[in-house]
Amino acid sequence: MPVAPIPAHELLIFLLQVGLLLLLASSFGRLATRLGMPAVVGELSVGVLLGPSVLAHLAPALSTWLFPPHVEQFHLLDAVGQIGVLLLVGITGIHMDMGMVRRRGVAAAGISVGGLVVPLGSGIAVGLALSGSLMPADTDPVVFALFMGVAMCVSAIPVIAKILMDMRMVHRNIGQLVLTAGMVDDAIGWVLLSIVSALATTGLHTGNVVTSVASLFAVVAVALTVGRPLARAGFRLAARSQDSGPTVAMATTMILLGAIATHALGLEAVFGAFVCGILIGSAIGPGNARLASLRTVVLSVLAPIFFATAGLRMDLTALSSPDVLVAGLLILAVAILGKFAGAYLGARISRLNHWEGLALGAGLNARGVIEVIVAMVGLRLGILSVQAYTIVVLVAIVTSLMAPPILRLTMARIEQTAEEELRENSYLPDAAPAHAPTRARP
């Protein structure tokens, strides 16, 4: 017997959900951008308004009709969101400048180590302290604590890059270091997330940890030895066509196949998408014009739907509980101070001055999209409760909102060098005359 198609009513609800979420996410994202905030803040707020935080309380009948509490119905939205997030992570990997990582390796390494170790350790500590009140009943406290450590140590390259470009700071040395250190943090963060995800699904055993680490090294080794020449050959073949369709199809297929491979190995699917994104970037370059249509669809359609869907799972009414509110404030404080302190310490060890250290802390503190993805993984695997998920997503929003004003304040006290002026003319030739060198303030 052939499988029956999706019933008419369920299809109607699904199409209505997707259309409404996309319309509102796009509108709220643009509004957030006009107000000087990252677009992801507006996109997440759509889910908050339409989810259990607001609409379910103001109009419960409408909320139940629009978002019926049926697993199969919600999984349709999840499927669209998963495709979107995998392609978004793949595009992030495509834009990872490995040449810059090598050139600024020493300074970036010190900043990355500080920006990883301090928040990772503080996150694990706060996770152990709060495991009894925030984690689901059947979750291992150690796995929960490790997951909170990973959530505290990640940064968000897409958000950081957008902030730096919007503020015309991407040409500054600090901007370059923020991007380089953030790239390293993101790469290690995906590795740690894959390990913790494997522990959550197979249990905390030495053999499983060794297997997970071995699988990670195997994925990287295969990507470097087999994946790189295959990617170049595949894109050479796709480039024979005069239109961009084959190149877009090749990139999409590679990202999804990479996600499939790591998921089949018991690792997190986003790690495979990220690795394949790096392969694509090394094969055809991060700014390849043939991928413009893919970037447009992912960033303007699929990613906003994913973030709006993520917001649907937030329940801000959970913060009305004093215990959850106190836990949320504590986690937020640990997230902000841990990342700031780690990045600042790494900057000072790398012989950067006080204001440069603060600027690096502000830039790397923006969690944005990566934190939301991490939170979704934790909720999907049963590591996070709804309360913990809501807190982690709030960390993503608050830290992304904090970054621009603190960057503006600290960068105003860092003198622009002649090298940075030349780089600005190269990056922003049309804007160069309007930007005189910024002098340090006393």
Side-chain angles (χ1 to χ4, degrees):
M1 288 286 294
V3 177
I6 181 173
H9 180 70
E10 282 75 2
L11 178 60
L12 172 66
I13 294 296
F14 169 67
L15 295 176
L16 181 59
Q17 289 172 342
V18 171
L20 182 62
L21 289 175
L22 179 58
L23 173 64
L24 294 178
S26 178
S27 302
F28 277 58
R30 293 175 73 87
L31 176 61
T33 302
R34 286 176 177 269
L35 295 175
M37 298 181 289
V40 66
V41 174
E43 292 161 358
L44 283 167
S45 66
V46 170
V48 174
L49 292 174
L50 295 180
S53 300
V54 178
L55 185 62
H57 290 277
L58 297 180
L62 175 61
S63 175
T64 302
W65 180 82
L66 185 58
F67 297 100
H70 303 146
V71 173
E72 297 82 1
Q73 186 76 61
F74 214 101
H75 281 179
L76 290 173
L77 271 181
D78 281 340
V80 176
Q82 284 300 310
I83 296 295
V85 75
L86 291 175
L87 293 177
L88 177 63
V89 171
I91 288 174
T92 303
I94 291 172
H95 286 82
M96 190 162 180
D97 188 348
M98 302 306 293
M100 188 204 301
V101 172
R102 288 190 291 269
R103 288 193 303 272
R104 310 300 299 268
V106 176
I111 298 163
S112 297
V113 169
L116 276 169
V117 173
V118 175
L120 178 65
S122 58
I124 291 173
V126 77
L128 287 172
L130 299 175
S131 59
S133 59
L134 287 181
M135 73 176 191
D138 55 348
T139 300
D140 189 311
V142 176
V143 173
F144 175 81
L146 290 173
F147 189 89
M148 291 302 296
V150 173
M152 296 301 101
C153 75
V154 298
S155 296
I157 281 297
V159 172
I160 294 169
K162 186 67 165 54
I163 289 172
L164 291 173
M165 285 187 282
D166 288 347
M167 299 177 68
R168 296 188 181 276
M169 291 181 182
V170 72
H171 67 285
R172 302 292 301 272
N173 289 335
I174 293 300
Q176 299 277 302
L177 279 175
V178 167
L179 287 173
T180 305
M183 288 173 184
V184 176
D185 282 3
D186 275 4
I188 297 175
W190 291 130
V191 173
L192 294 175
L193 180 61
S194 291
I195 293 175
V196 175
S197 299
L199 297 181
T201 54
T202 60
L204 189 60
H205 306 291
T206 303
N208 292 334
V209 175
V210 172
T211 301
S212 298
V213 174
S215 298
L216 287 169
F217 279 109
V219 168
V220 174
V222 170
L224 291 175
T225 57
V226 179
R228 185 178 293 173
L230 283 178
R232 288 174 179 166
F235 282 107
R236 276 198 303 268
L237 185 63
R240 294 179 181 177
S241 173
Q242 303 221 345
D243 63 79
S244 61
T247 301
V248 170
M250 177 67 69
T252 303
T253 301
M254 277 188 62
I255 292 169
L256 295 180
L257 287 177
I260 291 167
T262 53
H263 186 71
L265 289 171
L267 305 175
E268 191 51 46
V270 290
F271 179 65
F274 185 67
V275 170
C276 280
I278 294 175
L279 288 180
I280 294 168
S282 66
I284 62 175
N288 192 290
R290 287 178 171 243
L291 293 180
S293 56
L294 176 62
R295 285 190 289 267
T296 299
V297 171
V298 173
L299 297 177
S300 301
V301 179
L302 295 177
I305 291 174
F306 165 75
F307 292 121
T309 304
L312 286 174
R313 286 184 163 89
M314 289 182 66
D315 187 1
L316 295 180
T317 59
L319 298 177
S320 61
S321 168
D323 292 342
V324 177
L325 180 60
V326 170
L329 293 175
L330 177 60
I331 290 173
L332 181 61
V334 168
I336 294 171
L337 295 177
K339 198 70 172 179
F340 256 107
Y344 182 84
L345 180 63
R348 298 297 279 164
I349 291 173
S350 301
R351 300 184 178 180
L352 300 177
N353 65 37
H354 169 71
W355 291 108
E356 290 171 329
L358 290 178
L360 283 162
L364 290 173
N365 201 38
R367 268 56 168 222
V369 294
I370 305 301
E371 186 85 320
V372 176
I373 293 169
V374 170
M376 285 289 286
V377 170
L379 188 66
R380 177 172 57 82
L381 294 176
I383 302 173
L384 299 181
S385 62
V386 173
Q387 294 90 340
Y389 170 82
T390 299
I391 291 170
V392 173
V393 175
L394 278 177
V395 169
I397 295 174
V398 173
T399 55
S400 297
L401 287 173
M402 288 175 58
I406 299 177
L407 268 174
R408 194 174 289 114
L409 173 67
T410 54
M411 291 298 289
R413 296 178 178 270
I414 302 172
E415 184 175 358
Q416 180 165 287
T417 66
E419 178 191 7
E420 290 174 332
E421 288 184 60
L422 291 174
R423 195 184 295 139
E424 181 179 21
N425 292 336
S426 174
Y427 283 15
L428 304 165
D430 58 322
H435 292 270
T438 303
R439 299 298 172 190
R441 295 179 183 173

